[in-house]
mmCIF file with all atom_site columns, all heavy atoms in Angstrom:
data_model
loop_
_atom_site.group_PDB
_atom_site.id
_atom_site.type_symbol
_atom_site.label_atom_id
_atom_site.label_alt_id
_atom_site.label_comp_id
_atom_site.label_asym_id
_atom_site.label_entity_id
_atom_site.label_seq_id
_atom_site.pdbx_PDB_ins_code
_atom_site.Cartn_x
_atom_site.Cartn_y
_atom_site.Cartn_z
_atom_site.occupancy
_atom_site.B_iso_or_equiv
_atom_site.pdbx_formal_charge
_atom_site.auth_seq_id
_atom_site.auth_comp_id
_atom_site.auth_asym_id
_atom_site.auth_atom_id
_atom_site.pdbx_PDB_model_num
ATOM 1   N N   . THR A 1 1  ? 125.879 102.300 84.909  1.00 0.00 ? 1310 THR A N   1
ATOM 2   C CA  . THR A 1 1  ? 126.776 101.662 83.944  1.00 0.00 ? 1310 THR A CA  1
ATOM 3   C C   . THR A 1 1  ? 127.797 102.642 83.384  1.00 0.00 ? 1310 THR A C   1
ATOM 4   O O   . THR A 1 1  ? 128.983 102.312 83.256  1.00 0.00 ? 1310 THR A O   1
ATOM 5   C CB  . THR A 1 1  ? 125.966 101.051 82.799  1.00 0.00 ? 1310 THR A CB  1
ATOM 6   O OG1 . THR A 1 1  ? 125.013 100.120 83.332  1.00 0.00 ? 1310 THR A OG1 1
ATOM 7   C CG2 . THR A 1 1  ? 126.872 100.332 81.813  1.00 0.00 ? 1310 THR A CG2 1
ATOM 8   N N   . ASN A 1 2  ? 127.355 103.869 83.063  1.00 0.00 ? 1311 ASN A N   1
ATOM 9   C CA  . ASN A 1 2  ? 128.247 104.840 82.422  1.00 0.00 ? 1311 ASN A CA  1
ATOM 10  C C   . ASN A 1 2  ? 129.145 105.566 83.420  1.00 0.00 ? 1311 ASN A C   1
ATOM 11  O O   . ASN A 1 2  ? 130.265 105.944 83.079  1.00 0.00 ? 1311 ASN A O   1
ATOM 12  C CB  . ASN A 1 2  ? 127.420 105.865 81.645  1.00 0.00 ? 1311 ASN A CB  1
ATOM 13  C CG  . ASN A 1 2  ? 126.616 105.224 80.526  1.00 0.00 ? 1311 ASN A CG  1
ATOM 14  O OD1 . ASN A 1 2  ? 127.046 104.227 79.928  1.00 0.00 ? 1311 ASN A OD1 1
ATOM 15  N ND2 . ASN A 1 2  ? 125.430 105.767 80.251  1.00 0.00 ? 1311 ASN A ND2 1
ATOM 16  N N   . ASP A 1 3  ? 128.664 105.793 84.633  1.00 0.00 ? 1312 ASP A N   1
ATOM 17  C CA  . ASP A 1 3  ? 129.444 106.529 85.631  1.00 0.00 ? 1312 ASP A CA  1
ATOM 18  C C   . ASP A 1 3  ? 129.340 105.810 86.972  1.00 0.00 ? 1312 ASP A C   1
ATOM 19  O O   . ASP A 1 3  ? 128.710 106.294 87.908  1.00 0.00 ? 1312 ASP A O   1
ATOM 20  C CB  . ASP A 1 3  ? 128.928 107.966 85.738  1.00 0.00 ? 1312 ASP A CB  1
ATOM 21  C CG  . ASP A 1 3  ? 129.893 108.875 86.491  1.00 0.00 ? 1312 ASP A CG  1
ATOM 22  O OD1 . ASP A 1 3  ? 130.999 108.401 86.846  1.00 0.00 ? 1312 ASP A OD1 1
ATOM 23  O OD2 . ASP A 1 3  ? 129.551 110.044 86.725  1.00 0.00 ? 1312 ASP A OD2 1
ATOM 24  N N   . PRO A 1 4  ? 129.973 104.636 87.111  1.00 0.00 ? 1313 PRO A N   1
ATOM 25  C CA  . PRO A 1 4  ? 129.772 103.834 88.330  1.00 0.00 ? 1313 PRO A CA  1
ATOM 26  C C   . PRO A 1 4  ? 130.445 104.409 89.565  1.00 0.00 ? 1313 PRO A C   1
ATOM 27  O O   . PRO A 1 4  ? 130.055 104.067 90.681  1.00 0.00 ? 1313 PRO A O   1
ATOM 28  C CB  . PRO A 1 4  ? 130.394 102.483 87.956  1.00 0.00 ? 1313 PRO A CB  1
ATOM 29  C CG  . PRO A 1 4  ? 131.404 102.807 86.910  1.00 0.00 ? 1313 PRO A CG  1
ATOM 30  C CD  . PRO A 1 4  ? 130.848 103.962 86.136  1.00 0.00 ? 1313 PRO A CD  1
ATOM 31  N N   . LEU A 1 5  ? 131.469 105.263 89.413  1.00 0.00 ? 1314 LEU A N   1
ATOM 32  C CA  . LEU A 1 5  ? 132.210 105.759 90.565  1.00 0.00 ? 1314 LEU A CA  1
ATOM 33  C C   . LEU A 1 5  ? 131.701 107.097 91.084  1.00 0.00 ? 1314 LEU A C   1
ATOM 34  O O   . LEU A 1 5  ? 132.286 107.664 91.999  1.00 0.00 ? 1314 LEU A O   1
ATOM 35  C CB  . LEU A 1 5  ? 133.703 105.895 90.217  1.00 0.00 ? 1314 LEU A CB  1
ATOM 36  C CG  . LEU A 1 5  ? 134.410 104.593 89.821  1.00 0.00 ? 1314 LEU A CG  1
ATOM 37  C CD1 . LEU A 1 5  ? 135.883 104.859 89.551  1.00 0.00 ? 1314 LEU A CD1 1
ATOM 38  C CD2 . LEU A 1 5  ? 134.244 103.518 90.887  1.00 0.00 ? 1314 LEU A CD2 1
ATOM 39  N N   . ARG A 1 6  ? 130.633 107.590 90.544  1.00 0.00 ? 1315 ARG A N   1
ATOM 40  C CA  . ARG A 1 6  ? 130.069 108.860 90.996  1.00 0.00 ? 1315 ARG A CA  1
ATOM 41  C C   . ARG A 1 6  ? 129.348 108.636 92.326  1.00 0.00 ? 1315 ARG A C   1
ATOM 42  O O   . ARG A 1 6  ? 128.483 107.766 92.443  1.00 0.00 ? 1315 ARG A O   1
ATOM 43  C CB  . ARG A 1 6  ? 129.109 109.416 89.957  1.00 0.00 ? 1315 ARG A CB  1
ATOM 44  C CG  . ARG A 1 6  ? 128.542 110.788 90.299  1.00 0.00 ? 1315 ARG A CG  1
ATOM 45  C CD  . ARG A 1 6  ? 127.528 111.226 89.244  1.00 0.00 ? 1315 ARG A CD  1
ATOM 46  N NE  . ARG A 1 6  ? 126.986 112.534 89.555  1.00 0.00 ? 1315 ARG A NE  1
ATOM 47  C CZ  . ARG A 1 6  ? 127.526 113.673 89.161  1.00 0.00 ? 1315 ARG A CZ  1
ATOM 48  N NH1 . ARG A 1 6  ? 128.636 113.662 88.435  1.00 0.00 ? 1315 ARG A NH1 1
ATOM 49  N NH2 . ARG A 1 6  ? 126.982 114.841 89.474  1.00 0.00 ? 1315 ARG A NH2 1
ATOM 50  N N   . LEU A 1 7  ? 129.698 109.445 93.336  1.00 0.00 ? 1316 LEU A N   1
ATOM 51  C CA  . LEU A 1 7  ? 129.133 109.244 94.664  1.00 0.00 ? 1316 LEU A CA  1
ATOM 52  C C   . LEU A 1 7  ? 127.723 109.817 94.804  1.00 0.00 ? 1316 LEU A C   1
ATOM 53  O O   . LEU A 1 7  ? 126.912 109.277 95.548  1.00 0.00 ? 1316 LEU A O   1
ATOM 54  C CB  . LEU A 1 7  ? 130.051 109.868 95.726  1.00 0.00 ? 1316 LEU A CB  1
ATOM 55  C CG  . LEU A 1 7  ? 131.376 109.146 95.987  1.00 0.00 ? 1316 LEU A CG  1
ATOM 56  C CD1 . LEU A 1 7  ? 132.185 109.886 97.043  1.00 0.00 ? 1316 LEU A CD1 1
ATOM 57  C CD2 . LEU A 1 7  ? 131.138 107.712 96.428  1.00 0.00 ? 1316 LEU A CD2 1
ATOM 58  N N   . ILE A 1 8  ? 127.431 110.912 94.129  1.00 0.00 ? 1317 ILE A N   1
ATOM 59  C CA  . ILE A 1 8  ? 126.108 111.544 94.220  1.00 0.00 ? 1317 ILE A CA  1
ATOM 60  C C   . ILE A 1 8  ? 125.375 111.318 92.906  1.00 0.00 ? 1317 ILE A C   1
ATOM 61  O O   . ILE A 1 8  ? 125.817 111.796 91.862  1.00 0.00 ? 1317 ILE A O   1
ATOM 62  C CB  . ILE A 1 8  ? 126.238 113.047 94.521  1.00 0.00 ? 1317 ILE A CB  1
ATOM 63  C CG1 . ILE A 1 8  ? 127.000 113.253 95.846  1.00 0.00 ? 1317 ILE A CG1 1
ATOM 64  C CG2 . ILE A 1 8  ? 124.847 113.685 94.596  1.00 0.00 ? 1317 ILE A CG2 1
ATOM 65  C CD1 . ILE A 1 8  ? 127.205 114.706 96.200  1.00 0.00 ? 1317 ILE A CD1 1
ATOM 66  N N   . PRO A 1 9  ? 124.280 110.581 92.919  1.00 0.00 ? 1318 PRO A N   1
ATOM 67  C CA  . PRO A 1 9  ? 123.559 110.329 91.666  1.00 0.00 ? 1318 PRO A CA  1
ATOM 68  C C   . PRO A 1 9  ? 123.011 111.618 91.062  1.00 0.00 ? 1318 PRO A C   1
ATOM 69  O O   . PRO A 1 9  ? 122.571 112.525 91.777  1.00 0.00 ? 1318 PRO A O   1
ATOM 70  C CB  . PRO A 1 9  ? 122.433 109.386 92.094  1.00 0.00 ? 1318 PRO A CB  1
ATOM 71  C CG  . PRO A 1 9  ? 122.870 108.824 93.404  1.00 0.00 ? 1318 PRO A CG  1
ATOM 72  C CD  . PRO A 1 9  ? 123.683 109.890 94.066  1.00 0.00 ? 1318 PRO A CD  1
ATOM 73  N N   . GLN A 1 10 ? 123.024 111.692 89.764  1.00 0.00 ? 1319 GLN A N   1
ATOM 74  C CA  . GLN A 1 10 ? 122.408 112.839 89.089  1.00 0.00 ? 1319 GLN A CA  1
ATOM 75  C C   . GLN A 1 10 ? 120.893 112.789 89.204  1.00 0.00 ? 1319 GLN A C   1
ATOM 76  O O   . GLN A 1 10 ? 120.240 113.809 89.371  1.00 0.00 ? 1319 GLN A O   1
ATOM 77  C CB  . GLN A 1 10 ? 122.832 112.851 87.615  1.00 0.00 ? 1319 GLN A CB  1
ATOM 78  C CG  . GLN A 1 10 ? 124.319 113.102 87.395  1.00 0.00 ? 1319 GLN A CG  1
ATOM 79  C CD  . GLN A 1 10 ? 124.687 113.119 85.926  1.00 0.00 ? 1319 GLN A CD  1
ATOM 80  O OE1 . GLN A 1 10 ? 123.884 112.749 85.071  1.00 0.00 ? 1319 GLN A OE1 1
ATOM 81  N NE2 . GLN A 1 10 ? 125.907 113.550 85.623  1.00 0.00 ? 1319 GLN A NE2 1
ATOM 82  N N   . ILE A 1 11 ? 120.349 111.596 89.108  1.00 0.00 ? 1320 ILE A N   1
ATOM 83  C CA  . ILE A 1 11 ? 118.899 111.400 89.251  1.00 0.00 ? 1320 ILE A CA  1
ATOM 84  C C   . ILE A 1 11 ? 118.685 110.322 90.313  1.00 0.00 ? 1320 ILE A C   1
ATOM 85  O O   . ILE A 1 11 ? 119.111 109.177 90.147  1.00 0.00 ? 1320 ILE A O   1
ATOM 86  C CB  . ILE A 1 11 ? 118.257 110.970 87.915  1.00 0.00 ? 1320 ILE A CB  1
ATOM 87  C CG1 . ILE A 1 11 ? 118.499 112.035 86.839  1.00 0.00 ? 1320 ILE A CG1 1
ATOM 88  C CG2 . ILE A 1 11 ? 116.763 110.726 88.107  1.00 0.00 ? 1320 ILE A CG2 1
ATOM 89  C CD1 . ILE A 1 11 ? 117.973 111.637 85.466  1.00 0.00 ? 1320 ILE A CD1 1
ATOM 90  N N   . TRP A 1 12 ? 118.029 110.700 91.402  1.00 0.00 ? 1321 TRP A N   1
ATOM 91  C CA  . TRP A 1 12 ? 117.760 109.745 92.471  1.00 0.00 ? 1321 TRP A CA  1
ATOM 92  C C   . TRP A 1 12 ? 116.586 108.856 92.076  1.00 0.00 ? 1321 TRP A C   1
ATOM 93  O O   . TRP A 1 12 ? 115.504 109.345 91.747  1.00 0.00 ? 1321 TRP A O   1
ATOM 94  C CB  . TRP A 1 12 ? 117.464 110.465 93.772  1.00 0.00 ? 1321 TRP A CB  1
ATOM 95  C CG  . TRP A 1 12 ? 118.652 111.174 94.346  1.00 0.00 ? 1321 TRP A CG  1
ATOM 96  C CD1 . TRP A 1 12 ? 119.119 112.398 93.997  1.00 0.00 ? 1321 TRP A CD1 1
ATOM 97  C CD2 . TRP A 1 12 ? 119.536 110.681 95.348  1.00 0.00 ? 1321 TRP A CD2 1
ATOM 98  N NE1 . TRP A 1 12 ? 120.238 112.709 94.724  1.00 0.00 ? 1321 TRP A NE1 1
ATOM 99  C CE2 . TRP A 1 12 ? 120.524 111.671 95.573  1.00 0.00 ? 1321 TRP A CE2 1
ATOM 100 C CE3 . TRP A 1 12 ? 119.592 109.505 96.093  1.00 0.00 ? 1321 TRP A CE3 1
ATOM 101 C CZ2 . TRP A 1 12 ? 121.542 111.523 96.493  1.00 0.00 ? 1321 TRP A CZ2 1
ATOM 102 C CZ3 . TRP A 1 12 ? 120.612 109.347 97.021  1.00 0.00 ? 1321 TRP A CZ3 1
ATOM 103 C CH2 . TRP A 1 12 ? 121.572 110.348 97.212  1.00 0.00 ? 1321 TRP A CH2 1
ATOM 104 N N   . SER A 1 13 ? 116.809 107.563 92.109  1.00 0.00 ? 1322 SER A N   1
ATOM 105 C CA  . SER A 1 13 ? 115.782 106.615 91.685  1.00 0.00 ? 1322 SER A CA  1
ATOM 106 C C   . SER A 1 13 ? 115.631 105.525 92.742  1.00 0.00 ? 1322 SER A C   1
ATOM 107 O O   . SER A 1 13 ? 116.628 105.006 93.260  1.00 0.00 ? 1322 SER A O   1
ATOM 108 C CB  . SER A 1 13 ? 116.162 105.984 90.338  1.00 0.00 ? 1322 SER A CB  1
ATOM 109 O OG  . SER A 1 13 ? 115.250 104.962 89.983  1.00 0.00 ? 1322 SER A OG  1
ATOM 110 N N   . PHE A 1 14 ? 114.373 105.175 93.049  1.00 0.00 ? 1323 PHE A N   1
ATOM 111 C CA  . PHE A 1 14 ? 114.072 104.098 93.993  1.00 0.00 ? 1323 PHE A CA  1
ATOM 112 C C   . PHE A 1 14 ? 113.512 102.880 93.267  1.00 0.00 ? 1323 PHE A C   1
ATOM 113 O O   . PHE A 1 14 ? 112.946 101.993 93.902  1.00 0.00 ? 1323 PHE A O   1
ATOM 114 C CB  . PHE A 1 14 ? 113.063 104.580 95.033  1.00 0.00 ? 1323 PHE A CB  1
ATOM 115 C CG  . PHE A 1 14 ? 113.597 105.655 95.942  1.00 0.00 ? 1323 PHE A CG  1
ATOM 116 C CD1 . PHE A 1 14 ? 113.492 106.996 95.590  1.00 0.00 ? 1323 PHE A CD1 1
ATOM 117 C CD2 . PHE A 1 14 ? 114.218 105.330 97.142  1.00 0.00 ? 1323 PHE A CD2 1
ATOM 118 C CE1 . PHE A 1 14 ? 113.980 107.993 96.428  1.00 0.00 ? 1323 PHE A CE1 1
ATOM 119 C CE2 . PHE A 1 14 ? 114.709 106.320 97.978  1.00 0.00 ? 1323 PHE A CE2 1
ATOM 120 C CZ  . PHE A 1 14 ? 114.597 107.654 97.614  1.00 0.00 ? 1323 PHE A CZ  1
ATOM 121 N N   . ALA A 1 15 ? 113.704 102.840 91.957  1.00 0.00 ? 1324 ALA A N   1
ATOM 122 C CA  . ALA A 1 15 ? 113.148 101.733 91.179  1.00 0.00 ? 1324 ALA A CA  1
ATOM 123 C C   . ALA A 1 15 ? 113.779 100.403 91.546  1.00 0.00 ? 1324 ALA A C   1
ATOM 124 O O   . ALA A 1 15 ? 113.104 99.362  91.540  1.00 0.00 ? 1324 ALA A O   1
ATOM 125 C CB  . ALA A 1 15 ? 113.340 102.015 89.687  1.00 0.00 ? 1324 ALA A CB  1
ATOM 126 N N   . SER A 1 16 ? 115.058 100.417 91.877  1.00 0.00 ? 1325 SER A N   1
ATOM 127 C CA  . SER A 1 16 ? 115.723 99.151  92.218  1.00 0.00 ? 1325 SER A CA  1
ATOM 128 C C   . SER A 1 16 ? 115.153 98.557  93.506  1.00 0.00 ? 1325 SER A C   1
ATOM 129 O O   . SER A 1 16 ? 114.979 97.335  93.609  1.00 0.00 ? 1325 SER A O   1
ATOM 130 C CB  . SER A 1 16 ? 117.228 99.383  92.362  1.00 0.00 ? 1325 SER A CB  1
ATOM 131 O OG  . SER A 1 16 ? 117.490 100.373 93.351  1.00 0.00 ? 1325 SER A OG  1
ATOM 132 N N   . PHE A 1 17 ? 114.824 99.397  94.492  1.00 0.00 ? 1326 PHE A N   1
ATOM 133 C CA  . PHE A 1 17 ? 114.241 98.892  95.735  1.00 0.00 ? 1326 PHE A CA  1
ATOM 134 C C   . PHE A 1 17 ? 112.828 98.372  95.494  1.00 0.00 ? 1326 PHE A C   1
ATOM 135 O O   . PHE A 1 17 ? 112.406 97.391  96.126  1.00 0.00 ? 1326 PHE A O   1
ATOM 136 C CB  . PHE A 1 17 ? 114.227 99.998  96.783  1.00 0.00 ? 1326 PHE A CB  1
ATOM 137 C CG  . PHE A 1 17 ? 115.590 100.385 97.276  1.00 0.00 ? 1326 PHE A CG  1
ATOM 138 C CD1 . PHE A 1 17 ? 116.281 101.442 96.701  1.00 0.00 ? 1326 PHE A CD1 1
ATOM 139 C CD2 . PHE A 1 17 ? 116.203 99.695  98.308  1.00 0.00 ? 1326 PHE A CD2 1
ATOM 140 C CE1 . PHE A 1 17 ? 117.538 101.809 97.145  1.00 0.00 ? 1326 PHE A CE1 1
ATOM 141 C CE2 . PHE A 1 17 ? 117.463 100.046 98.759  1.00 0.00 ? 1326 PHE A CE2 1
ATOM 142 C CZ  . PHE A 1 17 ? 118.140 101.107 98.173  1.00 0.00 ? 1326 PHE A CZ  1
ATOM 143 N N   . GLU A 1 18 ? 112.082 99.016  94.607  1.00 0.00 ? 1327 GLU A N   1
ATOM 144 C CA  . GLU A 1 18 ? 110.740 98.528  94.291  1.00 0.00 ? 1327 GLU A CA  1
ATOM 145 C C   . GLU A 1 18 ? 110.803 97.175  93.593  1.00 0.00 ? 1327 GLU A C   1
ATOM 146 O O   . GLU A 1 18 ? 109.980 96.285  93.871  1.00 0.00 ? 1327 GLU A O   1
ATOM 147 C CB  . GLU A 1 18 ? 110.029 99.550  93.406  1.00 0.00 ? 1327 GLU A CB  1
ATOM 148 C CG  . GLU A 1 18 ? 109.776 100.893 94.098  1.00 0.00 ? 1327 GLU A CG  1
ATOM 149 C CD  . GLU A 1 18 ? 109.136 101.898 93.164  1.00 0.00 ? 1327 GLU A CD  1
ATOM 150 O OE1 . GLU A 1 18 ? 108.906 101.544 91.976  1.00 0.00 ? 1327 GLU A OE1 1
ATOM 151 O OE2 . GLU A 1 18 ? 108.861 103.031 93.604  1.00 0.00 ? 1327 GLU A OE2 1
ATOM 152 N N   . ARG A 1 19 ? 111.786 96.989  92.713  1.00 0.00 ? 1328 ARG A N   1
ATOM 153 C CA  . ARG A 1 19 ? 111.904 95.720  91.997  1.00 0.00 ? 1328 ARG A CA  1
ATOM 154 C C   . ARG A 1 19 ? 112.274 94.573  92.934  1.00 0.00 ? 1328 ARG A C   1
ATOM 155 O O   . ARG A 1 19 ? 111.924 93.414  92.657  1.00 0.00 ? 1328 ARG A O   1
ATOM 156 C CB  . ARG A 1 19 ? 112.953 95.835  90.891  1.00 0.00 ? 1328 ARG A CB  1
ATOM 157 C CG  . ARG A 1 19 ? 112.549 96.705  89.716  1.00 0.00 ? 1328 ARG A CG  1
ATOM 158 C CD  . ARG A 1 19 ? 113.595 96.605  88.625  1.00 0.00 ? 1328 ARG A CD  1
ATOM 159 N NE  . ARG A 1 19 ? 113.746 95.218  88.194  1.00 0.00 ? 1328 ARG A NE  1
ATOM 160 C CZ  . ARG A 1 19 ? 114.759 94.792  87.423  1.00 0.00 ? 1328 ARG A CZ  1
ATOM 161 N NH1 . ARG A 1 19 ? 115.702 95.651  87.042  1.00 0.00 ? 1328 ARG A NH1 1
ATOM 162 N NH2 . ARG A 1 19 ? 114.826 93.530  87.053  1.00 0.00 ? 1328 ARG A NH2 1
ATOM 163 N N   . LEU A 1 20 ? 112.966 94.878  94.017  1.00 0.00 ? 1329 LEU A N   1
ATOM 164 C CA  . LEU A 1 20 ? 113.329 93.821  94.953  1.00 0.00 ? 1329 LEU A CA  1
ATOM 165 C C   . LEU A 1 20 ? 112.110 93.167  95.588  1.00 0.00 ? 1329 LEU A C   1
ATOM 166 O O   . LEU A 1 20 ? 112.170 92.003  96.006  1.00 0.00 ? 1329 LEU A O   1
ATOM 167 C CB  . LEU A 1 20 ? 114.244 94.383  96.050  1.00 0.00 ? 1329 LEU A CB  1
ATOM 168 C CG  . LEU A 1 20 ? 115.680 94.713  95.641  1.00 0.00 ? 1329 LEU A CG  1
ATOM 169 C CD1 . LEU A 1 20 ? 116.431 95.347  96.797  1.00 0.00 ? 1329 LEU A CD1 1
ATOM 170 C CD2 . LEU A 1 20 ? 116.418 93.469  95.169  1.00 0.00 ? 1329 LEU A CD2 1
ATOM 171 N N   . PHE A 1 21 ? 110.996 93.904  95.681  1.00 0.00 ? 1330 PHE A N   1
ATOM 172 C CA  . PHE A 1 21 ? 109.791 93.366  96.313  1.00 0.00 ? 1330 PHE A CA  1
ATOM 173 C C   . PHE A 1 21 ? 108.740 92.967  95.279  1.00 0.00 ? 1330 PHE A C   1
ATOM 174 O O   . PHE A 1 21 ? 107.666 92.496  95.656  1.00 0.00 ? 1330 PHE A O   1
ATOM 175 C CB  . PHE A 1 21 ? 109.202 94.399  97.267  1.00 0.00 ? 1330 PHE A CB  1
ATOM 176 C CG  . PHE A 1 21 ? 110.084 94.688  98.452  1.00 0.00 ? 1330 PHE A CG  1
ATOM 177 C CD1 . PHE A 1 21 ? 110.998 95.730  98.415  1.00 0.00 ? 1330 PHE A CD1 1
ATOM 178 C CD2 . PHE A 1 21 ? 110.016 93.910  99.602  1.00 0.00 ? 1330 PHE A CD2 1
ATOM 179 C CE1 . PHE A 1 21 ? 111.815 96.000  99.502  1.00 0.00 ? 1330 PHE A CE1 1
ATOM 180 C CE2 . PHE A 1 21 ? 110.832 94.172  100.682 1.00 0.00 ? 1330 PHE A CE2 1
ATOM 181 C CZ  . PHE A 1 21 ? 111.741 95.214  100.637 1.00 0.00 ? 1330 PHE A CZ  1
ATOM 182 N N   . THR A 1 22 ? 109.045 93.134  93.997  1.00 0.00 ? 1331 THR A N   1
ATOM 183 C CA  . THR A 1 22 ? 108.100 92.741  92.942  1.00 0.00 ? 1331 THR A CA  1
ATOM 184 C C   . THR A 1 22 ? 108.688 91.661  92.042  1.00 0.00 ? 1331 THR A C   1
ATOM 185 O O   . THR A 1 22 ? 108.087 90.600  91.850  1.00 0.00 ? 1331 THR A O   1
ATOM 186 C CB  . THR A 1 22 ? 107.692 93.960  92.104  1.00 0.00 ? 1331 THR A CB  1
ATOM 187 O OG1 . THR A 1 22 ? 108.880 94.602  91.581  1.00 0.00 ? 1331 THR A OG1 1
ATOM 188 C CG2 . THR A 1 22 ? 106.926 94.962  92.959  1.00 0.00 ? 1331 THR A CG2 1
ATOM 189 N N   . ASP A 1 23 ? 109.879 91.914  91.486  1.00 0.00 ? 1332 ASP A N   1
ATOM 190 C CA  . ASP A 1 23 ? 110.492 90.951  90.562  1.00 0.00 ? 1332 ASP A CA  1
ATOM 191 C C   . ASP A 1 23 ? 111.369 89.920  91.271  1.00 0.00 ? 1332 ASP A C   1
ATOM 192 O O   . ASP A 1 23 ? 111.717 88.900  90.677  1.00 0.00 ? 1332 ASP A O   1
ATOM 193 C CB  . ASP A 1 23 ? 111.347 91.687  89.519  1.00 0.00 ? 1332 ASP A CB  1
ATOM 194 C CG  . ASP A 1 23 ? 110.528 92.675  88.700  1.00 0.00 ? 1332 ASP A CG  1
ATOM 195 O OD1 . ASP A 1 23 ? 109.285 92.547  88.705  1.00 0.00 ? 1332 ASP A OD1 1
ATOM 196 O OD2 . ASP A 1 23 ? 111.117 93.577  88.086  1.00 0.00 ? 1332 ASP A OD2 1
ATOM 197 N N   . VAL A 1 24 ? 111.751 90.187  92.498  1.00 0.00 ? 1333 VAL A N   1
ATOM 198 C CA  . VAL A 1 24 ? 112.674 89.320  93.231  1.00 0.00 ? 1333 VAL A CA  1
ATOM 199 C C   . VAL A 1 24 ? 111.989 88.849  94.512  1.00 0.00 ? 1333 VAL A C   1
ATOM 200 O O   . VAL A 1 24 ? 111.378 89.659  95.216  1.00 0.00 ? 1333 VAL A O   1
ATOM 201 C CB  . VAL A 1 24 ? 113.985 90.076  93.564  1.00 0.00 ? 1333 VAL A CB  1
ATOM 202 C CG1 . VAL A 1 24 ? 114.937 89.181  94.353  1.00 0.00 ? 1333 VAL A CG1 1
ATOM 203 C CG2 . VAL A 1 24 ? 114.652 90.571  92.280  1.00 0.00 ? 1333 VAL A CG2 1
ATOM 204 N N   . PRO A 1 25 ? 112.094 87.574  94.859  1.00 0.00 ? 1334 PRO A N   1
ATOM 205 C CA  . PRO A 1 25 ? 111.482 87.073  96.113  1.00 0.00 ? 1334 PRO A CA  1
ATOM 206 C C   . PRO A 1 25 ? 112.321 87.432  97.342  1.00 0.00 ? 1334 PRO A C   1
ATOM 207 O O   . PRO A 1 25 ? 112.727 86.555  98.123  1.00 0.00 ? 1334 PRO A O   1
ATOM 208 C CB  . PRO A 1 25 ? 111.415 85.563  95.888  1.00 0.00 ? 1334 PRO A CB  1
ATOM 209 C CG  . PRO A 1 25 ? 112.544 85.268  94.967  1.00 0.00 ? 1334 PRO A CG  1
ATOM 210 C CD  . PRO A 1 25 ? 112.646 86.465  94.055  1.00 0.00 ? 1334 PRO A CD  1
ATOM 211 N N   . LEU A 1 26 ? 112.582 88.713  97.531  1.00 0.00 ? 1335 LEU A N   1
ATOM 212 C CA  . LEU A 1 26 ? 113.403 89.151  98.655  1.00 0.00 ? 1335 LEU A CA  1
ATOM 213 C C   . LEU A 1 26 ? 112.775 88.824  100.007 1.00 0.00 ? 1335 LEU A C   1
ATOM 214 O O   . LEU A 1 26 ? 113.501 88.416  100.938 1.00 0.00 ? 1335 LEU A O   1
ATOM 215 C CB  . LEU A 1 26 ? 113.678 90.652  98.544  1.00 0.00 ? 1335 LEU A CB  1
ATOM 216 C CG  . LEU A 1 26 ? 114.618 91.230  99.597  1.00 0.00 ? 1335 LEU A CG  1
ATOM 217 C CD1 . LEU A 1 26 ? 116.032 90.706  99.401  1.00 0.00 ? 1335 LEU A CD1 1
ATOM 218 C CD2 . LEU A 1 26 ? 114.614 92.757  99.559  1.00 0.00 ? 1335 LEU A CD2 1
#
């Protein structure tokens, strides 16, 4: 949200991929 155009994340997180298989019926 604060830095959307940054190409290299400061902190690499896989939480969004985990949520796709838990909170979302992907």
Side-chain angles (χ1 to χ4, degrees):
T1310 303
N1311 298 328
D1312 194 5
L1314 299 182
R1315 184 183 180 89
L1316 289 179
I1317 301 178
Q1319 294 181 349
I1320 300 176
W1321 292 82
S1322 174
F1323 294 88
S1325 58
F1326 291 94
E1327 295 177 359
R1328 290 187 59 193
L1329 287 176
F1330 294 93
T1331 55
D1332 301 342
V1333 179
L1335 185 68

